[in-house]
Amino acid sequence: MLSIKRLTSMAFMVWLLNLAITAGAQQQVSPEPIRLSAKEAVDFALANQSTVKTAKLDELIQLAKNKEVSGLALPNIAGTGSYQYNPITQKQMFNMRNFGLPKDSFTVVSFQLPHNLLGEVRLTQVIFDPSVLVALQARKTLEDLVSQQVQKAEIDVKSSVYKAYYNVLSANKALQILSENITSLEKILNETKEIYKNGLVEKLDVDRLVVQYTNLQTEQTKLRNLVELGTASLKYQMGMPLKQQITLTDTLSTEKIVADVLDMDKFDYSQRIEYQLLQSQKKANEYDLKRYKLKGLPSLQLFGSTGALRGSDKFDYFQNQMWYGYVNTGLNLSVPIFTGMQRKRQVDQAWLAVKKSEVAIEDAKLGIDLEREQSYSTFKNNVLTLEAQEKNMELAQDVYHTTQIKYREGVGSSLEMTTAENDLLTAQNNYFTALFNAIVAKVDLLKSYGKL
């Protein structure tokens, strides 16, 4: 049976989940933007995301099933009542010679009355039943299984939210730098137009800068749309209303990505929730095998019943008449002798299910090893790429600023300006792509080592 602590814990979980569901159903859009760090976004998702809620409901369902199993070991008390009316009573013929008459003489006798009423209370108690015994033993394993499924759902949600959050951060950072480029180019374009009015530059120089400026504005619009789409995706991953305005407070940088990298030498397969799930599933299959093996043992039940009955030639049960009570008790012993080899086949299937679980565990270990190697290699490569692209962007910015100075001093051309601007945009795009790839690789690395 479930302990008082377990029952209290279950009741508390039900209360919390009801609170979370009610809060989710009544979520109101705040007029002010909600400020969120990456961790706060994850915490919000764990409380509101439908996948996690569903997994927690499955956990509560399993706890309720365990209580149902516990009830199999408790006494079962049932009350029954029946009324039977016999318009024509059944009769039997007797030879009165058997009762002392000198010769054969037959008479008809009825042992029934037209009206019969019976009330009974029956108690049954399992003393020994292999299936009930194994079901009670398997409760903890089944609880662990659904609890681990909740953890897996939470880890998947964390991964999705972190990636969506950093995707928006990366796009916002790109939009910010692009806006600065547009501001700088707009200033140069206005200066060039004034110089053109004085006849010191050609119209071709102005046209080139106008084309460049228009292209940057187009890229800015695309980035804004990308930020809006990424923000909507983040809200969806969090289980937040799409109309709610949010402000992301974390920052994204190369130093932050390469910092706090876990120790790759310390790893145990049990750190991965997928491995824990397979281990629990194997235990559940082993209990299933045990159940079929013990199915060949006898089962024993204690029973007892008490009741009262009365028959009458007329319906007068509401009057104070004589009722006849009874009490009986005993044991029911059921011994399986031959079941058509069905139990043997069930044992074979359950044994194969255990072996299948063992194969799945070994395959999972190989898959985890491969995933760890790939994620670590990908992370290192992406960090190297990020550091290189960051240097390239800084160089491109220096070249662009130098070209601007030369152009203002009249020793540079608009073509050089356009080339430097294009090179800077390319370097910036490469940097932001590398930045996002590196943070995603870090999330995948932490997940592969069971540290997310």
Side-chain angles (χ1 to χ4, degrees), residues 230-256:
T231 304
S233 176
L234 173 60
K235 293 175 186 176
Y236 172 76
Q237 297 293 345
M238 293 168 55
M240 175 181 285
L242 297 185
K243 292 182 179 179
Q244 177 63 59
Q245 297 297 316
I246 59 175
T247 301
L248 308 188
T249 60
D250 277 6
T251 56
L252 195 57
S253 63
T254 305
E255 294 76 13
K256 186 173 182 178

Side-chain angles (χ1 to χ4, degrees), residues 128-131 291-300 332-344 346:
F128 177 76
D129 190 327
S131 61
R291 177 169 66 92
Y292 287 123
K293 284 183 176 180
L294 296 180
K295 202 175 180 181
L297 296 178
S299 61
L300 184 63
N332 280 331
L333 178 65
S334 176
V335 181
I337 298 175
F338 181 71
T339 58
M341 301 298 289
Q342 290 185 2
R343 187 179 68 84
K344 175 65 169 60
Q346 290 171 337

Side-chain angles (χ1 to χ4, degrees), residues 369-385:
D369 289 340
L370 177 60
E371 187 177 343
R372 286 168 51 222
E373 292 294 329
Q374 287 180 334
S375 61
Y376 184 56
S377 176
T378 301
F379 176 69
K380 288 194 302 182
N381 290 337
N382 284 339
V383 168
L384 291 174
T385 301

Side-chain angles (χ1 to χ4, degrees), residues 55-270:
K56 289 181 178 178
L57 286 172
D58 288 338
E59 184 178 17
L60 294 177
I61 290 172
Q62 184 59 54
L63 291 175
K65 287 182 178 179
N66 283 353
K67 289 188 65 178
E68 179 185 355
V69 171
S70 300
L72 297 175
L74 298 176
N76 189 340
I77 302 175
T80 59
S82 66
Y83 166 74
Q84 182 177 342
Y85 172 61
N86 304 308
I88 301 175
T89 60
Q90 184 179 357
K91 298 176 177 63
Q92 290 181 316
M93 184 177 289
F94 288 89
N95 189 343
M96 299 306 294
R97 185 175 183 179
N98 296 328
F99 294 92
L101 294 182
K103 61 179 181 179
D104 291 338
S105 176
F106 296 94
T107 186
V108 176
V109 178
S110 175
F111 290 94
Q112 290 183 332
L113 290 172
H115 300 274
N116 296 274
L117 190 62
L118 169 67
E120 180 181 87
V121 176
R122 186 176 183 85
L123 178 145
T124 56
Q125 171 64 59
V126 173
I127 297 178
F128 177 76
D129 190 327
S131 61
V132 174
L133 178 63
V134 175
L136 292 173
Q137 293 174 344
R139 289 175 302 167
K140 180 63 170 60
T141 298
L142 296 178
E143 288 178 15
D144 291 342
L145 191 61
V146 292
S147 176
Q148 289 159 359
Q149 288 171 347
V150 172
Q151 294 177 41
K152 184 178 185 304
E154 290 178 342
I155 290 172
D156 291 340
V157 167
K158 283 182 181 180
S159 176
S160 299
V161 171
Y162 275 128
K163 290 179 180 179
Y165 187 96
Y166 291 123
N167 179 48
V168 177
L169 275 189
S170 176
N172 270 326
K173 191 170 183 178
L175 181 60
Q176 177 184 355
I177 293 181
L178 183 61
S179 299
E180 293 174 357
N181 292 344
I182 291 176
T183 301
S184 175
L185 184 61
E186 183 179 17
K187 183 178 180 181
I188 295 175
L189 176 59
N190 291 333
E191 292 175 353
T192 304
K193 287 181 178 178
E194 292 298 323
I195 296 174
Y196 169 71
K197 290 178 181 179
N198 296 326
L200 298 178
V201 296
E202 298 180 359
K203 187 176 183 301
L204 179 62
D205 294 327
V206 177
D207 292 341
R208 283 174 178 168
L209 291 176
V210 170
V211 170
Q212 192 174 354
Y213 181 74
T214 303
N215 289 338
L216 287 182
Q217 286 184 316
T218 302
E219 291 299 320
Q220 185 183 45
T221 302
K222 290 181 180 178
L223 265 178
R224 283 174 178 164
N225 293 336
L226 183 61
V227 169
E228 290 180 3
L229 181 61
T231 304
S233 176
L234 173 60
K235 293 175 186 176
Y236 172 76
Q237 297 293 345
M238 293 168 55
M240 175 181 285
L242 297 185
K243 292 182 179 179
Q244 177 63 59
Q245 297 297 316
I246 59 175
T247 301
L248 308 188
T249 60
D250 277 6
T251 56
L252 195 57
S253 63
T254 305
E255 294 76 13
K256 186 173 182 178
I257 292 174
V258 299
D260 301 326
V261 178
L262 63 154
D263 187 355
M264 302 302 167
D265 296 328
K266 296 179 181 180
F267 176 76
D268 185 82
Y269 292 108
S270 61

